[in-house]
Amino acid sequence: MAIRRILTVDKAADLAALKQVSTPVEAVDDDLRALMDDMLETMYDAPGIGLAAVQVGEPKRVIVMDLHRPEEPPQPRFFINPEILWKSEETAPYEEGCLSVPEIFDEVERPAQVKLRYLNYQGETVEEDAEGLFAVCIQHEMDHLEGVLFIDHLSRLKREQAVKKVKKLKAA
Ligand code: K1U
Ligand code: ZN
């Protein structure tokens, strides 16, 4: 396993890569599992609670996540070719962050509940309901698969300020 570099919005080449639409995975094989293992290690090291493959420069429709509480054992989760089957009319706000936009947090409003279908680490099809932080995180990560960052949900002014702040932070 290896820790990969996480692309960040302060670098023009990284931003262009983050804006790509990720392509569906054709086979859940050992090469893909090696990528997912690297992503998980990278996410734990950051630290973060989710990571999309495009954030480590691999534009594939793959997400890793772990929402365990500090007092609980790790609960790694893998989502391959995830699809949203249903989203609630009800929305909920959450103060989001992103490892590709370090140290910026802002409120995003998203559907409060979603129903998902995806392939797991073994390549089995799973259907699951998500709410709370799980719903927030999976929608944030699925945005990455479409080249959308959480700051794209903010006003243009806030988005430009966020990128400026990250550039300053990274230059320091
Ligand atoms: O970059 C990412 O996509 C990961 C991101 C996921 C996320 C966080 C909050 C709302 C929606 C999606 C992060 O993990 S940012 C870091 C973070 O939230 C965190 C880090 C350490 C402990 C707890 C949370
Ligand atoms: Zn993110």
Side-chain angles (χ1 to χ4, degrees), residues 9-46:
V9 296
D10 52 298
K11 298 179 191 70
D14 284 10
L15 182 57
L18 286 164
K19 289 278 161 198
Q20 292 171 92
V21 176
S22 296
T23 55
V25 167
E26 300 216 332
V28 181
D29 55 17
D30 287 346
D31 285 348
L32 187 77
R33 281 187 275 269
L35 168 64
M36 293 193 288
D37 293 346
D38 283 359
M39 288 171 60
L40 197 68
E41 195 179 359
T42 304
M43 183 194 80
Y44 285 141
D45 177 71

Side-chain angles (χ1 to χ4, degrees), residues 68-87:
H68 79 276
R69 293 197 178 85
E71 67 277 15
E72 293 171 350
Q75 288 165 22
R77 310 194 52 174
F78 305 89
F79 303 86
I80 303 157
N81 296 341
E83 298 167 72
I84 291 186
L85 302 177
W86 171 84
K87 30 178 117 166

